[in-house]
Amino acid sequence: AQSVTQLDSQVPVFEEAPVELRCNYSSSVSVYLFWYVQYPNQGLQLLLKYLSGSTLVKGINGFEAEFNKSQTSFHLRKPSVHISDTAEYFCAVSDKAAGNKLTFGGGTRVLVKP
Amino acid sequence: EAGVAQSPRYKIIEKRQSVAFWCNPISGHATLYWYQQILGQGPKLLIQFQNNGVVDDSQLPKDRFSAERLKGVDSTLKIQPAKLEDSAVYLCASSLDNEGRRNTQYFGPGTRLTVL
């Protein structure tokens, strides 16, 4: 069965500092990986996705993530955060063997401080 | 392009009452999903439709939850009777299809349910 672990439940960071959110997954060989962001009282917005090809994926709002197959990780990074990046971030995996069902991690709350 | 629409945005009910949520997916999306997101957790899939057929409802508490997708477009999720532990945000999502690259899911704003 597929699973996703987000190692940090909360990450405080100062404005303009870099941030990295860690995500590890357990699944079969062929996976698709996603990062979603959820602002307060809103639904999930797709930040970026890895389907195939280049392991470095660029998304919206300056975020990027790197797929590491050997370490089964898909960490999210941003070189310089803004106050507006304060939100909850969810990593998710979709596995063809599991019928392309999307499984989410528990989320990482990012709090950007001025 | 319009996104996934959901209503109502908020609902407060007493336990043992009934409640229904509505979802309108992105036009042309064949696959529709309902998720339950309990506070502090990631979303959990309740049910997945492909057009108007159910693909996966293995995590739907069928004694109290039901869902339908008539005509393969809009969908409703019902809880009858509600329990305190049903307090959560109910998210609807849709994707072009459920195969490979076409299964990227787009989410609606959610319905926040509070059961008192």
Side-chain angles (χ1 to χ4, degrees):
Chain A
Q2 59 189 23
S3 66
V4 178
T5 302
Q6 292 184 242
L7 296 163
D8 306 297
S9 59
Q10 195 163 304
V11 172
V13 57
F14 286 104
E15 194 174 16
E16 297 183 8
V19 71
E20 179 180 79
L21 308 185
R22 296 178 293 168
C23 172
N24 286 87
Y25 66 92
S26 170
S27 188
S28 65
V29 176
S30 178
V31 295
Y32 301 122
L33 295 156
F34 305 83
W35 275 98
Y36 285 88
V37 60
Q38 187 174 36
Y39 299 104
N41 298 315
Q42 295 188 27
L44 277 71
Q45 180 181 359
L46 181 67
L47 269 180
L48 49 79
K49 60 187 176 184
Y50 171 79
L51 302 180
S52 66
S54 173
T55 57
L56 183 63
V57 180
K58 294 191 183 297
I60 62 171
N61 300 341
F63 285 93
E64 64 180 32
E66 186 152 21
F67 170 53
N68 188 318
K69 187 175 179 179
S70 62
Q71 297 189 9
T72 59
S73 67
F74 191 54
H75 301 333
L76 180 72
R77 302 184 185 94
K78 185 169 181 176
S80 176
V81 295
H82 301 132
I83 296 288
S84 58
D85 292 322
T86 294
E88 184 128 26
Y89 293 79
F90 292 95
C91 180
V93 63
S94 173
D95 182 342
K96 187 174 183 179
N100 290 315
K101 179 178 169 179
L102 201 58
T103 298
F104 285 87
T108 298
R109 186 173 299 277
V110 172
L111 177 59
V112 181
K113 303 177 181 179
Chain B
E1 177 183 89
V4 177
Q6 289 188 248
S7 67
R9 290 296 312 278
Y10 305 92
K11 191 74 177 177
I12 300 175
I13 61 172
E14 301 275 338
K15 61 182 179 184
R16 290 187 289 273
Q17 284 188 320
S18 302
V19 65
F21 313 125
W22 173 82
C23 172
N24 182 238
I26 293 172
S27 177
H29 280 198
T31 313
L32 185 146
Y33 314 78
W34 282 102
Y35 289 86
Q36 180 191 59
Q37 185 180 18
I38 292 172
L39 187 65
Q41 298 181 20
K44 182 186 81 172
L45 181 68
L46 291 175
I47 188 167
Q48 176 182 339
F49 291 93
Q50 180 71 11
N51 296 308
N52 60 352
V54 175
V55 173
D56 183 349
D57 63 356
S58 58
Q59 300 207 78
L60 186 74
K62 299 181 187 62
D63 57 333
R64 297 184 300 106
F65 286 65
S66 65
E68 61 182 9
R69 190 183 184 198
L70 299 176
K71 300 180 183 178
V73 182
D74 294 7
S75 177
T76 56
L77 176 69
K78 297 179 181 177
I79 308 175
Q80 180 178 8
K83 292 185 176 181
L84 296 176
E85 59 260 37
D86 298 331
S87 293
V89 175
Y90 291 85
L91 294 165
C92 179
S94 70
S95 63
L96 274 170
D97 207 331
N98 68 343
E99 291 293 330
R101 293 171 171 271
R102 292 163 58 85
N103 79 336
T104 299
Q105 296 181 30
Y106 298 90
F107 285 77
T111 298
R112 182 178 298 276
L113 173 67
T114 302
V115 182
L116 303 175

